[in-house]
Amino acid sequence: MAITSGEPAGIGPDIIIGAFKNDFAAKLIVVGDPDLFKRRAQQLGASITVEEVNELGAVPTHSAGTLRVLPTALAVTTVAGKLDVANAPYVLETLRLAGQGCLTGTFDAVVTPPVHKGILCETGVHFSGHTEYFQSLCNSPQVVMMLASNAMRVALVTTHLPLKDVSSAITSNAIKSVTRALNHDLKHRFGCVSPKILVCGLNPHAGEDGHLGREEIDTIIPTLTELRNEGIDVIGPLPADTLFQPKYLEQADCVLAMYHDQGLPVLKYSGFGSAVNITLGLPIIRTSVDHGTALDLAGTGQASDGSLKVAIEHAIVMANNTRKSI
């Protein structure tokens, strides 16, 4: 399993060092610069062994306190908390190596600590997020961004769009392709035999019979009817302000929200720091943390590695479920 190193000036190296003090039932390889991890471990006062790995076939199952690294060199020595655009190509290269390794079968999954979108875009590369990067790398026609916590799973029809553009992006084709990919991966990656998906309306009160918007009547309701006719168990559209209650969530496998800030604030409120970001619809398994680079915490020892540990555990479960479904 590949773990990218994230933005080197951020908390990515810190949380990897912290997480790797624990045991995991998988062979874990960090794609990054070994010297970065040695320096950051020294700065954190962390006792961990950093080993360079050049022959992946001989890698043993992870043992607590050992960090095995597939060497990928930084352009310049990084300082915790201080971004340097010179290292942006390094970040992209770690993503490429991990992603390509998954496509060739070298890795069973990739887990990604946070990157800094702004610094990557400064290189002239349009980088809107990991989700879109791996979609392009894998040439996947449809991907789904889903976050999961102990309390719920929330997937999105649209991801990183300005709010003014959301309504026009809620098309029948978009809802159908996202829901089909979500339903497929809930079965094959998560072991849900007959997934039940709760679908949010776009407007307040799910449109209030057209008085608060017609997207539900014109697009969402007819599309959900088509999906039910395909055998997909979708319920909705439901008002998002009352949907996120235990009595509903306990009966469902996932909530499908129409846009980023409709579903994710609820999930992050309930489980921030212990949630995981998962990209569905790819031919590979990709999980990630639920937070950003936190430059102000880098090198201080105050960054929590909880979300990374959960992301690694989810990737292990998903890889095992995928093997069972083949």
Side-chain angles (χ1 to χ4, degrees), residues 131-132 134-135 140-145 156-157 159 178 181 279-282:
T131 301
E132 295 80 6
F134 285 114
Q135 179 180 15
S140 296
Q142 179 62 62
V143 295
V144 180
M145 181 177 176
L156 305 176
V157 175
T159 54
V178 166
T279 305
L280 306 180
L282 296 171

Side-chain angles (χ1 to χ4, degrees), residues 120-307:
L120 294 178
C121 289
E122 283 188 29
T123 65
V125 175
H126 176 66
F127 188 93
S128 57
H130 279 109
T131 301
E132 295 80 6
Y133 177 86
F134 285 114
Q135 179 180 15
S136 176
L137 181 72
C138 298
N139 196 28
S140 296
Q142 179 62 62
V143 295
V144 180
M145 181 177 176
M146 183 178 84
L147 270 76
S149 69
N150 290 331
M152 70 190 82
R153 299 186 186 108
V154 177
L156 305 176
V157 175
T158 62
T159 54
H160 300 117
L161 286 180
L163 192 56
K164 66 180 178 63
D165 297 334
V166 169
S167 178
S168 61
I170 303 297
T171 64
S172 180
N173 285 338
I175 296 170
K176 284 189 287 190
S177 59
V178 166
T179 305
R180 288 166 182 157
L182 174 60
N183 185 66
H184 177 275
D185 278 11
L186 286 172
K187 288 181 179 179
H188 297 284
R189 303 290 201 198
F190 292 90
C192 302
V193 178
S194 300
K196 179 175 287 189
I197 302 168
L198 304 181
V199 181
C200 296
L202 174 64
N203 296 296
H205 302 175
E208 197 77 74
D209 296 325
H211 296 288
L212 297 177
R214 290 195 55 86
E215 287 87 353
E216 286 77 13
I217 292 173
D218 294 341
T219 303
I220 301 174
I221 291 174
T223 302
L224 297 187
T225 299
E226 288 186 51
L227 290 167
R228 291 187 197 101
N229 290 338
E230 295 178 12
I232 299 176
D233 191 357
V234 286
I235 301 169
L238 302 170
D241 65 340
T242 56
L243 167 57
F244 293 94
Q245 300 181 54
K247 66 179 180 179
Y248 299 127
L249 297 174
E250 289 168 1
Q251 306 302 316
D253 295 296
C254 190
V255 173
L256 180 60
M258 291 293 127
Y259 58 95
H260 188 281
D261 281 12
Q262 182 181 57
L264 297 193
V266 184
L267 181 140
K268 290 192 176 185
Y269 175 77
S270 72
F272 190 74
S274 61
V276 56
N277 186 343
I278 304 163
T279 305
L280 306 180
L282 296 171
I284 67 174
I285 294 169
R286 179 259 169 170
T287 67
S288 185
V289 296
D290 67 348
H291 56 75
T293 53
L295 295 169
D296 58 323
L297 297 181
T300 67
Q302 298 178 34
S304 171
D305 57 26
S307 184

